[in-house]
Amino acid sequence: MGQYRSMDHATLAKRGFLLGVGLFALGALGELAAHTLLGPLPGWGNMLLTDMEALGILLGLFSPLVFGIVLPLVE
């Protein structure tokens, strides 16, 4: 149980949330900009940006849950 003592849960939760928001924003803005400037994207490019949006949402939701609620309770 002593392995989690050096973790700063609040900082990890905030940084994970901000990383998730950043991934979502980069994916959404990249998709909008690419369609506006370049026209239709190839399949892999569209899928990459869509996956960035999905991963950003998941990371933004689960990071505060895991690092802010679950891990402090497990200690």
Side-chain angles (χ1 to χ4, degrees), residues 5-61:
R5 294 282 182 221
S6 64
M7 293 177 79
D8 185 14
H9 298 294
T11 302
L12 288 172
K14 290 174 191 173
R15 288 182 182 170
F17 176 75
L18 290 176
L19 179 63
V21 168
L23 275 173
F24 176 76
L26 189 63
L29 292 175
E31 195 165 343
L32 287 174
H35 284 294
T36 303
L37 298 174
L38 302 174
L41 288 174
W44 65 269
N46 195 16
M47 192 62 173
L48 176 71
L49 293 171
T50 304
D51 285 346
M52 284 176 67
E53 291 177 24
L55 186 62
I57 291 171
L58 291 175
L59 189 62
L61 290 175

